[in-house]
Amino acid sequence: MSLTAKDVAEILKLLEESAFNELVLETGELKVELRRGEAAARPVRTRESAAPPVAAAAKPVAGSQIAAPPPGLADVPSPLLGVFYRAPKPGEPPFVEVGQKIEEDTIIGIIEVMKLMNSVRAGVRGELVEIFAQNATLVEYGQPLVRVRAAG
Amino acid sequence: MPIKRILIANRGEIAVRIIRTCKALGIETVLAVSTADRESLGARLADRVLCIGPAPSSESYLKVETIVQAALGTACDAIHPGYGFLSERAALARLCEKEGVAFIGPAAQQIEAVGDKLRARAEAEAASVPVVPGGAVADSAEAEARGRRIGAPLLVKAVGGGGGRGMKRVDDLRQLPGALALASAEAGAAFGDARVYLERLIENGRHIEVQILGDGEGGVIHVGERDCSVQRRYQKLIEETPAPHLSPALRRDIHAAAVRFARHLRYRGAGTVEFLVDIERQSFYFLEMNARIQVEHPVTEFVSGLDLIAEQIAIADGQGLKLAQDDVRLDGCAIECRINAEDPARDFAPSPGTITEAVWPTAEGIRVDTHIVAGARVPPYYDSLLAKVIAHGPDRGAALRRLDNALALCRISGVASNIGFHRAVLADSEFASGGVDTAYLPRFLARGPSVVEG
């Protein structure tokens, strides 16, 4: 079983309309935990419970699999191993989009390490040209998250 | 739910060792690596590799939350912590319990019970296991009174300690206040716990430890003992089983005490109960329990035929113990040398670098546990263990001959090693006759042997 974005949006809506702050949905292969209130900054956390074979599981883009950026471009590496989120909350617009001008301290995403949310800053000024990391996926330490055309 | 995928939170030879058993069991492996270990042998052998942080272990291998997040994010059912790093950190075991990931090791409260050395002493006493005369000291008045009762020479030891850190020898009770202050400061810096306690110093003791396996419900068996008396600054260099020249009665009593201690804790998993054995008085004292797989576990595997990593996994998986005590058969003798990247000619200074040549022997009765191949890097951030060369034979003499032949065939270039030093020890008549005490190696070094450079 897999969840589509639409499924998640529907479940979120149900939770939003209910009196509950927390929802844990577990089927044979999938576990979804949703929380709101003070923990609302935390996006949906999913966990595969029944493990598909490692080889078949979608491997996150490993740092070494992305070619080094050509001259004039710079990659922003993940400062931590954790789950990468593009938006502050599910349903909200992402922190950044391709084509956007960013500054060194622009937040490009969040990395969750065991319920602790860590903002990731670009650390470089320029134009965002590519986003490598998928939303709500595990990223490794040092893995390129986004690519930036550095400003003069 | 059977364990199908394990996150290995360690590096070096033990990561390779764990992967080997997982492959034999059909279990998938995810190896957590620092940036310094991306190209390691373990990283090549694991089904998947995750980079958890930069080289310093405080930013990678010692990060509890990152390790558990890595396991959850790759759908691992279990975490194997190996030895060192987080293996005896109750916080990891506890977070695993909370997140529903099996921790391949004891329960968090058992790690705590043996991690605090004073508490471990109390548990030993409760299990009728003899401890070295000594105890806690809350203030200088108590220290003085206790010091007088114990008598000199004595040791000031760290409650949270191990490996000789926070440990001071006192030969004259007038030195006690100074030693207490120094040990306490050292312990505070090293372990974040400045508490110290006193113990009588037993000179010429032998370090003998018992391998145990517990099912967590009071079922405990032992898999014989190991003699680890050949130590330099509390670091073991050569380990062997059985312990030479031990009377059958003393050996039996030591085994029984270890089992009693582990049963008292309802210990789960593989563990080692360490004793200091006073051969002259034919008595022994509890030192501490190591709540993890140990570096020297292969000697026990050689004589028992068991795969202790597989036993750890089975216990974590809820399968309990596969063997009863009577099923454990110990055959022959096994001896292990720890091959380190260190230079005996320069006071055993660590020798990091890149390996340009690595040749390890294969022969009957020889096992080599290593992660070192040509091109491997020995980073300066971690311990200097390159390999363990283990020999097995029908008796000690045969095992020693095989071990020396095997060491003669080892070739390591690119870093200094202590292979030649090991051969010099094996050739020493005092070691060859067996049953040396923990003061042996300093004595051997004081004789100024011409240490062959590895």
Side-chain angles (χ1 to χ4, degrees), chain B residues 126-192:
Chain B
S128 309
V129 172
V131 298
V132 182
V137 285
D139 53 51
S140 54
E142 195 185 1
E144 208 187 313
R146 196 181 282 283
R148 263 203 307 276
R149 265 203 311 282
I150 298 169
L154 56 77
L155 282 175
V156 184
K157 295 170 94 172
V159 173
R165 282 184 300 179
M167 197 188 290
K168 295 286 163 225
R169 180 189 167 128
V170 175
D171 287 297
D172 183 326
L173 288 179
R174 281 172 301 185
Q175 304 164 342
L176 185 57
L180 276 171
L182 208 59
S184 180
E186 227 176 89
F191 312 111

Side-chain angles (χ1 to χ4, degrees), chain B residues 39-50:
Chain B
E39 313 296 326
S40 63
L41 180 61
R44 268 181 273 162
L45 294 175
D47 292 303
R48 185 167 165 183
V49 177
L50 277 182

Side-chain angles (χ1 to χ4, degrees), chain A residues 52 54 60 114-115 140-141, chain B residues 5 28 48 51 65 69 99:
Chain A
V54 170
M114 298 312 294
K115 302 178 176 70
E140 292 179 75
Y141 171 78
Chain B
R5 187 181 298 167
E28 293 172 343
R48 185 167 165 183
C51 186
E65 284 78 13
Q69 182 70 67
E99 296 294 330

Side-chain angles (χ1 to χ4, degrees), chain B residues 118 139 149 285 375 377:
Chain B
L118 268 181
D139 53 51
R149 265 203 311 282
Y285 306 97
R377 279 197 295 261

Side-chain angles (χ1 to χ4, degrees), chain B residues 113-332:
Chain B
V114 299
D116 179 314
K117 304 302 171 205
L118 268 181
R119 170 124 180 252
R121 272 178 66 97
E123 300 284 4
E125 288 179 303
S128 309
V129 172
V131 298
V132 182
V137 285
D139 53 51
S140 54
E142 195 185 1
E144 208 187 313
R146 196 181 282 283
R148 263 203 307 276
R149 265 203 311 282
I150 298 169
L154 56 77
L155 282 175
V156 184
K157 295 170 94 172
V159 173
R165 282 184 300 179
M167 197 188 290
K168 295 286 163 225
R169 180 189 167 128
V170 175
D171 287 297
D172 183 326
L173 288 179
R174 281 172 301 185
Q175 304 164 342
L176 185 57
L180 276 171
L182 208 59
S184 180
E186 227 176 89
F191 312 111
D193 180 353
R195 289 177 301 151
V196 293
Y197 63 104
L198 303 185
E199 259 183 19
R200 174 181 295 161
L201 174 68
I202 293 169
E203 285 181 285
N204 310 324
R206 284 169 64 185
H207 176 119
I208 295 178
E209 58 185 33
V210 180
Q211 176 69 55
I212 62 99
L213 291 168
D215 62 9
E217 286 160 16
V220 175
I221 60 169
H222 74 81
V223 197
E225 81 284 354
R226 294 182 288 257
D227 190 326
C228 312
S229 300
V230 180
Q231 301 182 1
R232 186 183 161 272
R233 297 186 183 164
Y234 305 103
Q235 300 299 312
K236 299 167 184 169
L237 276 168
I238 300 176
E239 302 100 343
E240 61 182 295
T241 186
H245 313 314
L246 215 55
S247 76
L250 189 55
R251 195 186 312 272
R252 198 180 50 234
D253 287 352
I254 292 172
H255 292 167
V259 169
R260 214 155 56 231
F261 183 75
R263 191 172 285 146
H264 168 73
L265 293 177
R266 302 176 73 80
Y267 188 82
R268 184 188 76 200
T272 298
V273 187
E274 295 187 344
F275 297 99
L276 192 60
V277 178
D278 186 336
I279 294 295
E280 269 172 49
R281 297 196 183 100
Q282 286 287 296
S283 56
F284 62 92
Y285 306 97
F286 170 84
L287 275 181
E288 61 179 47
M289 179 167 194
N290 298 315
R292 56 163 195 271
I293 192 75
Q294 281 192 279
V295 176
E296 60 270 26
H297 75 276
V299 295
T300 300
E301 293 186 325
F302 238 149
V303 298
S304 67
L306 292 179
D307 178 335
L308 292 173
I309 303 285
E311 296 301 322
Q312 282 189 299
I313 295 170
I315 293 166
D317 205 11
Q319 297 171 30
L321 300 175
K322 294 183 208 151
L323 297 162
Q325 188 64 61
D326 289 345
D327 301 328
V328 178
R329 291 268 177 275
L330 306 174
D331 290 317

Side-chain angles (χ1 to χ4, degrees), chain A residues 71-152:
Chain A
L73 298 180
D75 290 347
V76 178
S78 175
L80 295 163
L81 174 139
V83 181
F84 178 74
Y85 295 103
R86 287 196 55 203
K89 284 187 211 178
E92 290 200 353
F95 288 105
V96 289
E97 293 283 13
V98 169
Q100 188 178 330
K101 295 270 186 280
I102 57 170
E103 300 292 323
E104 277 96 341
D105 60 357
T106 301
I107 293 174
I108 60 161
I110 289 175
I111 291 178
E112 182 204 342
V113 186
M114 298 312 294
K115 302 178 176 70
L116 209 74
M117 298 300 164
N118 306 274
S119 305
V120 183
R121 287 171 204 279
V124 51
R125 217 174 118 242
E127 181 195 345
L128 194 68
V129 293
E130 197 171 351
I131 298 172
F132 298 119
Q134 300 287 308
N135 188 51
T137 59
L138 189 73
V139 294
E140 292 179 75
Y141 171 78
Q143 175 180 333
L145 298 173
V146 303
R147 184 164 286 182
V148 178
R149 179 172 295 117

